[in-house]
Amino acid sequence: MRLLLALIMVLLAAGCGNSQSVFYTGSEPEEALPSTARVPWDYRIVEGKVGDLVGSDITVLPDNEMLPNDANYATGDPVWTLQYMTAELIAGPDNRNDLVLSSWQTIKSFKTEAEAKSDLEELKVSVTTEVDLVGVYKTEYQGATRNFAVLSLPSGHEIKQPVNDGRYAALKDQKTAKVVLEEVHDYIDYDAAYAKFRGWAE
């Protein structure tokens, strides 16, 4: 019996000094951890020139970036590279989204600009569609009034867009809105895409 009581006392003493213990019953507030998502953000085509040949690789000027010599380039050949950028979206507890962009990274090279543009058109696609309209509202500051619409994008993120009085009136009683989106697809996993607002569809 004495051994059992001693064991209980040790466990209770350990629980009192450790807020991570299963015995801890304090009421310290827990901070909500932000949720993050990495999404494809943008692509661009950059013109350059082949520098040195290094084994089966080439360097691309002016940044001296090294790439595989997949197209049998020679020193001095013009080259077009396709570069991409990702974004880390951080949703905080106050429903605000913070955006952290990566640096540009080169995916592949092309002998002609037309070939590069052909790939780019597959990765950035313009789409006209309907999205959920969270609502519209007005703000007033120093006598000036501004209107805003809040949209829910297919990714689940909400964005705020300024609207004029006419569009405010048209959207006021609506649940959805017709918009133009730019779908940016991941170059490795094409089904992974992020849609960016590009305008209102008339």
Side-chain angles (χ1 to χ4, degrees):
M1 185 67 177
R2 288 181 178 177
L3 180 60
L4 180 60
L5 287 172
L7 180 59
I8 291 174
M9 292 299 292
V10 169
L11 290 174
L12 287 174
C16 290
N18 182 7
S19 64
Q20 299 303 315
S21 167
V22 293
F23 293 99
Y24 181 71
T25 57
S27 58
E28 292 177 2
E30 293 184 4
E31 291 186 6
L33 294 176
S35 60
T36 62
R38 188 173 296 278
V39 299
W41 186 255
D42 204 0
Y43 292 88
R44 70 179 183 183
I45 297 169
V46 178
E47 184 178 1
K49 184 179 291 188
V50 176
D52 296 326
L53 305 182
V54 184
S56 59
D57 297 328
I58 59 172
T59 59
V60 179
L61 304 175
D63 296 329
N64 224 27
E65 188 170 16
M66 188 169 290
L67 292 174
N69 191 4
D70 295 331
N72 295 318
Y73 296 104
T75 298
D77 283 351
V79 62
W80 284 262
T81 58
L82 182 63
Q83 299 182 343
Y84 79 103
M85 177 186 286
T86 61
E88 188 175 34
L89 303 177
I90 305 172
D94 56 356
N95 292 325
R96 291 181 59 121
N97 291 327
D98 291 325
L99 184 70
V100 180
L101 298 178
S102 73
S103 58
W104 288 103
Q105 312 247 354
T106 300
I107 304 171
K108 58 194 295 189
S109 64
F110 302 87
K111 281 199 165 185
T112 68
E113 186 178 15
E115 291 175 313
K117 285 183 175 179
S118 178
D119 259 29
L120 184 65
E121 289 170 1
E122 296 294 323
L123 293 167
K124 291 173 64 170
V125 182
S126 180
V127 177
T128 299
T129 186
E130 283 193 353
V131 298
D132 290 335
L133 176 64
V134 178
V136 294
Y137 67 94
K138 291 178 178 286
T139 63
E140 186 174 346
Y141 179 68
Q142 294 182 347
T145 302
R146 297 182 69 193
N147 309 321
F148 294 93
V150 180
L151 304 170
S152 179
L153 297 181
S155 63
H157 293 90
E158 293 182 357
I159 63 167
K160 177 178 72 175
Q161 291 294 319
V163 293
N164 58 28
D165 290 339
R167 194 172 299 279
Y168 174 90
L171 294 176
K172 187 170 58 174
D173 299 319
Q174 301 299 315
K175 299 297 183 185
T176 62
K178 290 193 71 174
V179 299
V180 178
L181 300 177
E182 181 183 72
E183 287 186 351
V184 183
H185 292 261
D186 188 278
Y187 75 100
I188 294 177
D189 180 10
Y190 189 81
D191 290 335
Y194 183 74
K196 295 195 285 186
F197 178 82
R198 285 293 179 252
W200 303 95
E202 300 301 336

